[in-house]
Amino acid sequence: MDRSDKPRVVLGVSGGIAAYKACELLRRLTESGHDVRVVPTGSALRFVGEPTWAALSGNPVTTGVWEDVHEVPHVRIGQEADLVVVAPATADTLARAAHGLADDLLTNTLLTARCPVIFAPAMHTEMWEHPATAENVATLRRRGAVVIEPAVGRLTGKDTGKGRLPDPGEIFEVCRRVLARGAAPGRDLAGRHVVISAGGTREPLDPVRFLGNRSSGRQGYALARTAVARGARVTLVAANTALPDPAGADVVPVGTAVQLREAVLKAAEDADAVVMAAAVADFRPARYAQGKIKKREGQEPEPVVLVRNPDVLAELSAARPRPGQVVVGFAAETDDVLANGRAKLARKGCDLLVVNEVGEDKTFGAEENEAVVLGADGSETPVPHGPKEALADTVWDAVVHMLNAG
């Protein structure tokens, strides 16, 4: 691919200790066929030097507006970009961007860019939670920028909390999704709070055994990533997954169906939409053995008595803790897929039901999926076999339509 044919990405790097992680993001962008121009701040070069950025990107690196003036870089770089991503974005960079300051090449680029802009903040928790930062973030989001929620974890020194730069691989996924939508309405979930459940619940039999299912959580995580890319504030209730946290999502880990119910209902109190993609166990053992159930010679094990778990989807659909809330369910069927799906849609009372056929080699754990999105209004939207992100975007398209219609 000729360089002129490659998507042009500007990687802005602010002066924070997480600047070294941007090298991994840069590598992923270049290796996936993007032409990347790194625009660091002067402070960023105190953490990672100019030769590193130039060698990894294959492009010149400048920080000020007085270099190569004849090429007018302070205007041209932003004008020609297909995407601008700032990672890490410090509190200072967010403030300067929100107030339209233009005292270096990065802030000039942000003012001239007419393409999607993504900020991946990284700072101490106190700085992220400060009212000034919160207002700056709100301003940038209102103007159309995607500001990814920072991750929770180890910060500089001994501190831990919210403010850690998300995994570079997950930031790359947000960039990829924003670029993939192209001319589509990029931030149609801006200002919306969405709750997604993912994974499969596990119901303990004894300290070492449980009843579970094959769900990997990949479809729920795809829903979370696409929602972040479309501007939403995302709460992801994750049941027993082994996947990296999607950048920008607040992840709530759970184990059992009862724990999932509690987390989803709490998060749904101010949510515009709830998508129940998790495989929630219908039943749990009536009795939990405090010690490991032993195999005894000459004796058959006692039957495992099951009791019903709460029906979280039906409860959400009936309660609707927020007026106009859209509720989406998932149905995993092995036969009579559409007939069973329609019956479940009516029984659960949700607005949309995503129905797919499952089996040992179908859907669970796979990178791809195919399904039919059924609407309570009688609509049917088939989604052909393809990446789970394609199904996720179809679901959000339907949710956005319902939110705007309401």
Side-chain angles (χ1 to χ4, degrees):
M1 181 183 293
D2 184 80
R3 172 162 292 193
S4 62
D5 297 327
K6 296 180 179 181
R8 295 178 176 177
V9 177
V10 175
L11 172 58
V13 184
S14 303
I17 188 65
Y20 76 93
K21 295 183 180 180
C23 295
E24 173 64 15
L25 175 59
L26 172 57
R27 185 186 68 81
R28 288 177 179 264
L29 287 167
T30 55
E31 290 185 356
S32 57
H34 300 84
D35 180 16
V36 186
R37 176 76 180 262
V38 181
V39 182
T41 65
S43 298
L45 294 181
R46 298 175 69 91
F47 294 96
V48 180
E50 177 184 328
T52 299
W53 300 123
L56 291 176
S57 69
N59 278 318
V61 174
T62 55
T63 63
V65 297
W66 301 109
E67 300 170 63
D68 299 320
V69 175
H70 65 287
E71 295 182 355
V72 199
H74 72 289
V75 174
R76 180 179 53 80
I77 294 174
Q79 285 179 334
E80 295 179 352
D82 297 302
L83 175 73
V84 177
V85 53
V86 183
T90 60
D92 177 70
T93 296
L94 293 173
R96 290 190 295 143
H99 289 82
L101 300 183
D103 56 352
D104 62 8
L105 189 57
L106 177 56
T107 47
N108 273 271
T109 299
L110 290 169
L111 280 181
T112 56
R114 293 298 178 265
C115 60
V117 176
I118 300 170
F119 293 92
M123 64 197 73
H124 266 66
T125 306
E126 294 83 357
M127 300 173 74
W128 173 253
E129 294 177 347
H130 194 282
T133 303
E135 182 127 356
N136 291 332
V137 168
T139 297
L140 291 169
R141 285 173 171 164
R142 189 170 59 250
R143 291 176 185 160
V146 174
V147 183
I148 299 172
E149 290 286 315
V152 176
R154 182 71 178 269
L155 306 174
T156 306
K158 298 180 180 180
D159 295 337
T160 59
K162 189 169 187 177
R164 182 182 177 90
L165 186 74
D167 181 81
E170 290 299 316
I171 298 174
F172 169 73
E173 289 299 324
V174 175
C175 295
R176 192 172 64 84
R177 292 308 306 155
V178 170
L179 281 167
R181 285 184 58 76
R187 286 183 42 80
D188 50 7
L189 285 172
R192 303 287 193 179
H193 176 209
V194 301
V195 177
I196 302 156
S197 69
T201 61
R202 295 177 178 176
E203 310 303 322
L205 282 164
D206 63 22
V208 298
R209 301 182 180 94
F210 60 85
L211 298 179
N213 57 66
R214 298 177 184 273
S215 178
S216 65
R218 293 184 186 278
Q219 185 62 68
Y221 276 58
L223 283 156
R225 290 191 186 99
T226 52
V228 168
R230 293 170 75 149
R233 176 167 68 91
V234 178
T235 300
L236 177 63
V237 179
N240 306 297
T241 63
L243 303 170
D245 291 351
D250 287 320
V251 180
V252 182
V254 297
T256 67
V258 171
Q259 292 170 347
L260 182 141
R261 173 187 176 274
E262 180 181 350
V264 168
L265 291 180
K266 181 179 179 181
E269 291 176 358
D270 68 342
D272 296 285
V274 182
V275 181
M276 292 291 295
V280 183
D282 294 321
F283 308 100
R284 68 180 185 274
R287 186 179 72 87
Y288 173 73
Q290 296 297 325
K292 179 183 175 182
I293 300 172
K294 298 290 187 178
K295 179 174 67 174
R296 303 188 186 280
E297 291 297 329
Q299 295 183 20
E300 292 298 320
E302 292 184 10
V304 176
V305 179
L306 302 178
V307 296
R308 286 184 179 274
N309 270 324
D311 190 329
V312 187
L313 179 58
E315 187 175 355
L316 273 170
S317 299
R320 306 281 174 153
R322 181 168 182 169
Q325 186 178 82
V326 177
V327 178
V328 182
F330 271 67
E333 301 291 345
T334 57
D335 53 65
D336 296 328
V337 174
L338 289 181
N340 287 334
R342 277 288 171 201
K344 184 172 183 177
L345 176 63
R347 188 169 66 251
K348 301 292 186 180
C350 50
D351 302 295
L352 298 166
L353 190 75
V354 182
V355 187
N356 51 23
E357 185 177 358
V358 298
E360 188 168 343
D361 298 317
K362 295 180 180 178
T363 301
F364 284 144
E367 298 285 349
E368 298 184 327
N369 200 354
E370 66 178 294
V372 179
V373 181
L374 303 178
D377 60 358
S379 61
E380 291 186 8
T381 305
V383 182
H385 188 79
K388 289 186 173 180
E389 291 166 340
L391 174 57
D393 269 325
T394 300
V395 171
W396 291 127
D397 288 345
V399 169
V400 167
H401 176 76
M402 297 186 71
L403 289 173
N404 291 341

